[in-house]
Amino acid sequence: MKYDLLIKDGSVVFRDDVKRADIAIQNGKIVAIADKIEEAADQAVDAAGQFVMPGMIDAHVHICEPGRTEWEGFETGTKALAAGGTTTYIDMPLNALPATTTKEAFALKLAAAEGKNYVDYAFYGGLVPGNLENLQELSDAGVVAYKCFMATCGTDLPDDFKNVDDYTLYTGMKKIAELGHMLAIHAENAEITDHLAQEKRKLGKVTAFDYVASRPVFTEVDAVKRALFFAKQTGCKLHFVHISSADSVEEIIKARKEGVDVTLESCPHYFAITTRQFEEIGPAAKCSPPLRDEWEQEKLWEALKQGKIDMLTSDHSPCPPAMKHSETNDMFEVWGGITGCQNNVDLMFDEAVKKRSVPITEFVRMIATTPAERFRLRAKGEIVIAKDADIILLDPNQSYVVKPDNLYYRHKHSPYIHRTIHCRVTKTFVRGQAVFDLNEGIVGRPIGQFIPFTV
Ligand SMILES: NC(=O)NC(NC(N)=O)C(=O)[O-]
Ligand SMILES: [Zn+2]
Ligand SMILES: [Zn+2]
């Protein structure tokens, strides 16, 4: 038997342990795992001294194509994902035009994505006021889940995404439950955050600290609690995106114990950047919910160490540089969204595994295994026989400084520029094919495939 690819001598991260092993790949699948595999292969990769793990499944990415490809397109966005160690991503239904809220918009997304992706991908559909009748057709088209905003969205063209009113949230959950689907929620109280922002701006209070103060933790907790209450009424399965506070985590876990089928994600920036650092970095670090102070961040780290964070996602929400600039230094004016997906695996490995001794199996659970299970990407998320060979190599001892030149994004701004990261993704394989190699950069063709979802 001649294999297509052998990955030899690495420290392989399995579900429950890390073991030195060889991995054989044939036709894009993992076909053998053993201490030593002696058979021949077309290609052999020496992974000695490196961790071999499943590629990240980034369940929260905003590719802005079609319609706003000048913000970020499939090609540039997925090169960045591949270079950062992501092998599958789920695209959010907003920032492209039109927003993915009808089957027609879904078809436009699918067509625009064809032949441009370096990693595999699935799509979210949107729940917005007025599209209840479109939820079934989006399910039929293959969306992996639905997404809604309880906060006000940052874009406002006619074809853009709109946040839900209570009626839409409630009836949407009922319908999504009937469809056997899941609703993902951006949970912040729109009315309070909008009014606090207006108050601040009226007083000329427009710094990073003022922006953060306009979106206090309780506005996230409030939205989380209300959504959980609606979930209890409707039986809808929920997933909370980009949770920024330990208080929200606790509410979600409490509801889970009470029987709600609910998960949550958080993002590297909530663990790696504080409000004070946001003030120093400037608009590149603006996002919503905002980056929290040291005390809140420490509580979130505690939650992570206790295994309460189901998954990590990038919330890669890019924009052109002009939108991250304000003539009057008004933090409310600039785009809220972080360009960061390329550094997520190594940054979080550095912060969690290296600096805070989080077990590497826990890290892999958060970046790959749980997202695969929750979004039912059945061929993905784990190094076991018969799964797709979506595999990355990570060198735990290679430090580097993030520089614009290394970034594949359409626009090379990111809050992590100038940051030293003490480990590095060195190779990325999607279904056994190399898409990134540290020495050569992006390699091969855009081989990424759409993963249609069936309930
Ligand atoms: N329109 C956006 O991309 N928004 C995103 N922006 C952030 N997180 O700042 C998001 O996920 O809410
Ligand atoms: Zn959001
Ligand atoms: Zn987002």
Side-chain angles (χ1 to χ4, degrees):
M1 166 97 181
K2 195 169 181 218
Y3 297 118
D4 295 337
L5 172 67
L6 277 179
I7 300 175
K8 292 183 74 75
D9 278 327
S11 298
V12 183
V13 186
F14 299 105
R15 189 180 277 258
D16 298 314
D17 57 1
V18 183
K19 274 198 301 232
R20 215 221 51 77
D22 291 352
I23 302 171
I25 290 137
Q26 188 74 36
N27 298 325
K29 300 277 184 195
I30 297 168
V31 291
I33 302 169
D35 290 352
K36 267 263 161 294
I37 298 177
E38 304 289 359
E39 283 98 327
D42 287 339
Q43 197 201 345
V45 171
D46 176 11
Q50 303 206 52
F51 287 108
V52 177
M53 46 195 179
M56 178 162 174
I57 295 174
D58 188 344
H60 193 148
V61 176
H62 299 263
I63 299 289
C64 312
E65 185 169 356
R68 284 201 182 95
T69 310
E70 73 276 14
W71 290 19
E72 183 75 287
F74 288 109
E75 192 190 330
T76 46
T78 63
K79 280 182 173 172
L81 287 164
T86 292
T87 48
T88 297
Y89 72 97
I90 307 178
D91 182 57
M92 279 290 163
L94 65 153
N95 298 358
L97 286 169
T100 319
T101 54
T102 63
K103 70 173 192 289
E104 290 79 13
F106 182 95
L108 289 171
K109 258 266 168 211
L110 198 59
E114 181 69 34
K116 296 185 192 139
N117 280 264
Y118 283 82
V119 300
D120 286 349
Y121 53 101
F123 293 147
Y124 263 109
L127 167 67
V128 292
N131 88 328
L132 271 185
E133 297 307 317
N134 304 98
L135 299 180
Q136 172 79 57
E137 69 192 30
L138 284 165
S139 172
D140 297 342
V143 298
V144 82
Y146 299 85
K147 161 78 177 291
C148 74
F149 259 61
M150 291 173 80
T152 302
C153 306
T155 48
D156 56 7
L157 294 178
D159 276 348
D160 266 320
F161 209 75
K162 303 284 181 298
N163 53 312
V164 289
D165 50 75
D166 283 352
Y167 171 76
T168 304
L169 185 60
Y170 168 66
T171 49
M173 279 196 205
K174 256 172 65 173
K175 181 75 196 172
I176 290 166
E178 266 169 45
L179 293 170
H181 249 294
M182 178 162 77
L183 177 64
I185 302 181
H186 175 140
E188 285 180 292
N189 182 308
E191 205 178 324
I192 300 177
T193 52
D194 287 349
H195 277 90
L196 289 178
Q198 277 169 23
E199 266 177 30
K200 299 262 175 216
R201 296 186 83 177
K202 227 187 267 170
L203 297 170
K205 292 166 90 81
V206 292
T207 65
F209 292 115
D210 297 319
Y211 171 72
V212 174
S214 76
R215 309 183 90 93
V217 165
F218 82 85
T219 58
E220 179 180 75
V221 180
D222 170 68
V224 163
K225 285 174 80 162
R226 283 186 340 104
L228 287 168
F229 180 70
F230 284 16
K232 285 180 186 163
Q233 310 307 309
T234 58
C236 188
K237 199 200 288 195
L238 293 190
H239 174 69
F240 286 96
V241 300
H242 54 44
I243 287 295
S244 69
S245 68
D247 291 359
S248 295
V249 173
E250 292 307 324
E251 290 299 336
I252 292 163
I253 287 181
K254 192 168 108 208
R256 191 184 295 164
K257 286 186 184 141
E258 290 163 4
V260 180
D261 185 349
V262 57
T263 46
L264 70 98
E265 66 182 44
S266 188
C267 313
H269 37 269
Y270 295 113
F271 297 91
I273 312 174
T274 60
T275 311
R276 200 190 303 270
Q277 290 163 329
F278 167 28
E279 213 279 330
E280 287 160 15
I281 295 167
K286 179 185 171 185
C287 60
S288 72
L291 300 170
R292 304 296 183 189
D293 63 25
E294 286 82 354
W295 189 72
E296 283 292 343
Q297 189 178 82
E298 224 21 72
K299 286 204 295 177
L300 198 61
W301 268 116
E302 275 312 307
L304 184 146
K305 287 193 228 158
Q306 290 165 15
K308 293 176 177 170
I309 305 296
D310 296 307
M311 61 186 95
L312 291 165
T313 65
S314 68
D315 191 9
H316 179 63
S317 178
C319 69
M323 291 177 66
K324 282 287 192 187
H325 178 76
S326 159
E327 281 301 321
T328 54
N329 291 323
D330 181 343
M331 196 55 83
F332 288 94
E333 219 174 66
V334 302
W335 176 250
I338 284 183
T339 298
C341 65
Q342 192 176 326
N343 300 111
N344 282 178
V345 173
D346 40 31
L347 176 76
M348 274 313 274
F349 187 94
D350 194 14
E351 295 294 329
V353 180
K354 291 192 71 168
K355 294 195 186 139
R356 288 180 172 79
S357 304
V358 171
I360 189 168
T361 46
E362 272 292 284
F363 174 74
V364 165
R365 174 186 65 71
M366 290 186 286
I367 66 160
T369 319
T370 301
E373 284 170 358
R374 188 60 170 168
F375 292 95
R376 291 185 271 187
L377 306 170
R378 293 181 182 89
K380 311 272 186 202
E382 217 181 330
I383 297 194
V384 287
I385 287 175
K387 293 257 187 201
D388 285 352
D390 294 348
I391 295 174
I392 59 175
L393 270 53
L394 182 138
D395 184 342
N397 297 311
Q398 188 168 165
S399 292
Y400 74 105
V401 178
V402 180
K403 296 186 181 131
D405 281 358
N406 311 133
L407 300 174
Y408 286 97
Y409 312 126
R410 178 155 211 122
H411 302 291
K412 299 170 197 329
H413 56 82
S414 167
Y416 304 124
I417 285 173
H418 303 312
R419 192 173 178 121
T420 302
I421 299 179
H422 305 89
C423 55
R424 194 161 200 183
V425 172
T426 62
K427 278 188 171 43
T428 304
F429 297 93
V430 173
R431 284 174 280 103
Q433 299 174 70
V435 289
F436 172 74
D437 181 298
L438 188 55
N439 297 317
E440 298 168 52
I442 295 295
V443 290
R445 308 259 325 125
I447 54 151
Q449 291 178 354
F450 173 64
I451 308 167
F453 181 78
T454 40
V455 178

mmCIF file of all heavy atoms in Angstrom, residues 407-426:
data_model
loop_
_atom_site.group_PDB
_atom_site.id
_atom_site.type_symbol
_atom_site.label_atom_id
_atom_site.label_comp_id
_atom_site.label_asym_id
_atom_site.label_seq_id
_atom_site.Cartn_x
_atom_site.Cartn_y
_atom_site.Cartn_z
ATOM 1 N N LEU A 407 0.943 39.145 6.642
ATOM 2 C CA LEU A 407 -0.503 38.941 6.698
ATOM 3 C C LEU A 407 -1.096 38.816 5.295
ATOM 4 O O LEU A 407 -0.688 39.531 4.381
ATOM 5 C CB LEU A 407 -1.168 40.097 7.459
ATOM 6 C CG LEU A 407 -0.681 40.253 8.907
ATOM 7 C CD1 LEU A 407 -1.279 41.509 9.547
ATOM 8 C CD2 LEU A 407 -1.009 39.023 9.749
ATOM 9 N N TYR A 408 -2.058 37.933 5.164
ATOM 10 C CA TYR A 408 -2.681 37.696 3.855
ATOM 11 C C TYR A 408 -4.003 38.438 3.688
ATOM 12 O O TYR A 408 -4.622 38.369 2.644
ATOM 13 C CB TYR A 408 -2.930 36.195 3.662
ATOM 14 C CG TYR A 408 -1.666 35.422 3.380
ATOM 15 C CD1 TYR A 408 -0.990 34.770 4.394
ATOM 16 C CD2 TYR A 408 -1.134 35.344 2.087
ATOM 17 C CE1 TYR A 408 0.179 34.060 4.152
ATOM 18 C CE2 TYR A 408 0.022 34.635 1.829
ATOM 19 C CZ TYR A 408 0.673 34.001 2.865
ATOM 20 O OH TYR A 408 1.826 33.302 2.610
ATOM 21 N N TYR A 409 -4.448 39.115 4.732
ATOM 22 C CA TYR A 409 -5.732 39.820 4.631
ATOM 23 C C TYR A 409 -5.709 40.798 3.459
ATOM 24 O O TYR A 409 -4.654 41.282 3.075
ATOM 25 C CB TYR A 409 -6.016 40.645 5.899
ATOM 26 C CG TYR A 409 -5.817 39.917 7.198
ATOM 27 C CD1 TYR A 409 -4.978 40.433 8.194
ATOM 28 C CD2 TYR A 409 -6.471 38.721 7.456
ATOM 29 C CE1 TYR A 409 -4.803 39.790 9.401
ATOM 30 C CE2 TYR A 409 -6.299 38.070 8.665
ATOM 31 C CZ TYR A 409 -5.459 38.601 9.625
ATOM 32 O OH TYR A 409 -5.280 37.946 10.822
ATOM 33 N N ARG A 410 -6.880 41.127 2.999
ATOM 34 C CA ARG A 410 -6.945 42.159 1.953
ATOM 35 C C ARG A 410 -6.346 43.460 2.489
ATOM 36 O O ARG A 410 -5.636 44.161 1.780
ATOM 37 C CB ARG A 410 -8.399 42.356 1.560
ATOM 38 C CG ARG A 410 -8.559 43.423 0.546
ATOM 39 C CD ARG A 410 -9.817 43.216 -0.272
ATOM 40 N NE ARG A 410 -9.582 43.721 -1.579
ATOM 41 C CZ ARG A 410 -9.679 43.022 -2.694
ATOM 42 N NH1 ARG A 410 -10.018 41.751 -2.643
ATOM 43 N NH2 ARG A 410 -9.448 43.564 -3.844
ATOM 44 N N HIS A 411 -6.642 43.779 3.748
ATOM 45 C CA HIS A 411 -6.084 44.994 4.363
ATOM 46 C C HIS A 411 -5.291 44.583 5.588
ATOM 47 O O HIS A 411 -5.823 43.950 6.497
ATOM 48 C CB HIS A 411 -7.206 45.965 4.728
ATOM 49 C CG HIS A 411 -8.029 46.342 3.542
ATOM 50 N ND1 HIS A 411 -7.532 47.119 2.515
ATOM 51 C CD2 HIS A 411 -9.289 45.990 3.194
ATOM 52 C CE1 HIS A 411 -8.471 47.252 1.588
ATOM 53 N NE2 HIS A 411 -9.542 46.573 1.963
ATOM 54 N N LYS A 412 -4.036 44.980 5.588
ATOM 55 C CA LYS A 412 -3.104 44.390 6.549
ATOM 56 C C LYS A 412 -3.015 45.202 7.846
ATOM 57 O O LYS A 412 -1.957 45.626 8.249
ATOM 58 C CB LYS A 412 -1.756 44.201 5.876
ATOM 59 C CG LYS A 412 -1.898 43.245 4.674
ATOM 60 C CD LYS A 412 -0.690 43.174 3.811
ATOM 61 C CE LYS A 412 -0.973 42.576 2.446
ATOM 62 N NZ LYS A 412 -2.023 41.578 2.312
ATOM 63 N N HIS A 413 -4.185 45.452 8.425
ATOM 64 C CA HIS A 413 -4.184 46.054 9.768
ATOM 65 C C HIS A 413 -4.779 45.040 10.740
ATOM 66 O O HIS A 413 -5.690 44.289 10.384
ATOM 67 C CB HIS A 413 -4.966 47.373 9.796
ATOM 68 C CG HIS A 413 -6.384 47.266 9.314
ATOM 69 N ND1 HIS A 413 -7.408 46.831 10.112
ATOM 70 C CD2 HIS A 413 -6.950 47.506 8.107
ATOM 71 C CE1 HIS A 413 -8.542 46.834 9.428
ATOM 72 N NE2 HIS A 413 -8.292 47.224 8.198
ATOM 73 N N SER A 414 -4.232 45.046 11.935
ATOM 74 C CA SER A 414 -4.672 44.070 12.930
ATOM 75 C C SER A 414 -4.168 44.543 14.291
ATOM 76 O O SER A 414 -3.087 45.126 14.386
ATOM 77 C CB SER A 414 -4.061 42.701 12.596
ATOM 78 O OG SER A 414 -4.216 41.818 13.683
ATOM 79 N N PRO A 415 -4.928 44.288 15.344
ATOM 80 C CA PRO A 415 -4.440 44.698 16.676
ATOM 81 C C PRO A 415 -3.195 43.930 17.114
ATOM 82 O O PRO A 415 -2.542 44.330 18.071
ATOM 83 C CB PRO A 415 -5.623 44.396 17.610
ATOM 84 C CG PRO A 415 -6.468 43.423 16.877
ATOM 85 C CD PRO A 415 -6.262 43.681 15.417
ATOM 86 N N TYR A 416 -2.874 42.842 16.409
ATOM 87 C CA TYR A 416 -1.734 42.022 16.840
ATOM 88 C C TYR A 416 -0.416 42.447 16.200
ATOM 89 O O TYR A 416 0.633 41.887 16.522
ATOM 90 C CB TYR A 416 -2.008 40.540 16.544
ATOM 91 C CG TYR A 416 -3.287 40.076 17.182
ATOM 92 C CD1 TYR A 416 -4.303 39.506 16.426
ATOM 93 C CD2 TYR A 416 -3.504 40.252 18.547
ATOM 94 C CE1 TYR A 416 -5.495 39.104 17.006
ATOM 95 C CE2 TYR A 416 -4.695 39.862 19.142
ATOM 96 C CZ TYR A 416 -5.687 39.281 18.365
ATOM 97 O OH TYR A 416 -6.868 38.902 18.943
ATOM 98 N N ILE A 417 -0.466 43.436 15.302
ATOM 99 C CA ILE A 417 0.785 43.886 14.682
ATOM 100 C C ILE A 417 1.727 44.384 15.784
ATOM 101 O O ILE A 417 1.285 45.054 16.729
ATOM 102 C CB ILE A 417 0.485 44.966 13.608
ATOM 103 C CG1 ILE A 417 -0.104 44.252 12.389
ATOM 104 C CG2 ILE A 417 1.742 45.743 13.221
ATOM 105 C CD1 ILE A 417 -0.620 45.138 11.305
ATOM 106 N N HIS A 418 2.984 44.000 15.664
ATOM 107 C CA HIS A 418 4.070 44.285 16.623
ATOM 108 C C HIS A 418 4.078 43.303 17.812
ATOM 109 O O HIS A 418 4.987 43.352 18.627
ATOM 110 C CB HIS A 418 4.015 45.716 17.208
ATOM 111 C CG HIS A 418 4.038 46.777 16.183
ATOM 112 N ND1 HIS A 418 4.952 46.785 15.143
ATOM 113 C CD2 HIS A 418 3.251 47.872 15.999
ATOM 114 C CE1 HIS A 418 4.721 47.840 14.375
ATOM 115 N NE2 HIS A 418 3.690 48.505 14.867
ATOM 116 N N ARG A 419 3.092 42.440 17.897
ATOM 117 C CA ARG A 419 3.057 41.525 19.038
ATOM 118 C C ARG A 419 4.003 40.334 18.780
ATOM 119 O O ARG A 419 4.062 39.831 17.662
ATOM 120 C CB ARG A 419 1.625 41.018 19.221
ATOM 121 C CG ARG A 419 1.392 40.290 20.514
ATOM 122 C CD ARG A 419 -0.080 39.972 20.670
ATOM 123 N NE ARG A 419 -0.303 39.244 21.885
ATOM 124 C CZ ARG A 419 -1.096 39.653 22.876
ATOM 125 N NH1 ARG A 419 -1.776 40.763 22.771
ATOM 126 N NH2 ARG A 419 -1.232 38.929 23.972
ATOM 127 N N THR A 420 4.704 39.908 19.794
ATOM 128 C CA THR A 420 5.541 38.710 19.668
ATOM 129 C C THR A 420 4.711 37.504 20.105
ATOM 130 O O THR A 420 4.103 37.526 21.180
ATOM 131 C CB THR A 420 6.802 38.802 20.549
ATOM 132 O OG1 THR A 420 7.527 39.975 20.151
ATOM 133 C CG2 THR A 420 7.698 37.583 20.363
ATOM 134 N N ILE A 421 4.690 36.489 19.265
ATOM 135 C CA ILE A 421 3.981 35.252 19.584
ATOM 136 C C ILE A 421 5.036 34.154 19.654
ATOM 137 O O ILE A 421 5.920 34.078 18.796
ATOM 138 C CB ILE A 421 2.887 34.966 18.524
ATOM 139 C CG1 ILE A 421 1.865 36.122 18.520
ATOM 140 C CG2 ILE A 421 2.214 33.617 18.800
ATOM 141 C CD1 ILE A 421 0.738 35.999 17.525
ATOM 142 N N HIS A 422 4.942 33.319 20.693
ATOM 143 C CA HIS A 422 6.051 32.408 21.001
ATOM 144 C C HIS A 422 5.833 30.989 20.488
ATOM 145 O O HIS A 422 6.305 30.019 21.100
ATOM 146 C CB HIS A 422 6.316 32.418 22.509
ATOM 147 C CG HIS A 422 6.572 33.799 23.030
ATOM 148 N ND1 HIS A 422 5.562 34.623 23.466
ATOM 149 C CD2 HIS A 422 7.722 34.510 23.123
ATOM 150 C CE1 HIS A 422 6.074 35.789 23.831
ATOM 151 N NE2 HIS A 422 7.382 35.744 23.632
ATOM 152 N N CYS A 423 5.119 30.832 19.430
ATOM 153 C CA CYS A 423 4.922 29.539 18.784
ATOM 154 C C CYS A 423 4.364 29.847 17.400
ATOM 155 O O CYS A 423 3.944 30.989 17.140
ATOM 156 C CB CYS A 423 3.945 28.665 19.569
ATOM 157 S SG CYS A 423 2.368 29.451 19.851
ATOM 158 N N ARG A 424 4.340 28.847 16.523
ATOM 159 C CA ARG A 424 3.911 29.197 15.164
ATOM 160 C C ARG A 424 3.383 27.997 14.395
ATOM 161 O O ARG A 424 3.980 26.914 14.424
ATOM 162 C CB ARG A 424 5.101 29.792 14.405
ATOM 163 C CG ARG A 424 4.684 30.472 13.139
ATOM 164 C CD ARG A 424 5.736 31.427 12.649
ATOM 165 N NE ARG A 424 5.125 32.382 11.734
ATOM 166 C CZ ARG A 424 5.764 33.321 11.079
ATOM 167 N NH1 ARG A 424 7.068 33.461 11.237
ATOM 168 N NH2 ARG A 424 5.120 34.146 10.267
ATOM 169 N N VAL A 425 2.302 28.225 13.684
ATOM 170 C CA VAL A 425 1.791 27.218 12.751
ATOM 171 C C VAL A 425 2.769 27.156 11.588
ATOM 172 O O VAL A 425 3.115 28.182 10.993
ATOM 173 C CB VAL A 425 0.379 27.605 12.241
ATOM 174 C CG1 VAL A 425 -0.071 26.665 11.131
ATOM 175 C CG2 VAL A 425 -0.621 27.615 13.391
ATOM 176 N N THR A 426 3.231 25.950 11.261
ATOM 177 C CA THR A 426 4.230 25.838 10.193
ATOM 178 C C THR A 426 3.691 25.159 8.938
ATOM 179 O O THR A 426 4.273 25.295 7.865
ATOM 180 C CB THR A 426 5.465 25.046 10.672
ATOM 181 O OG1 THR A 426 5.040 23.727 11.015
ATOM 182 C CG2 THR A 426 6.125 25.712 11.876
#
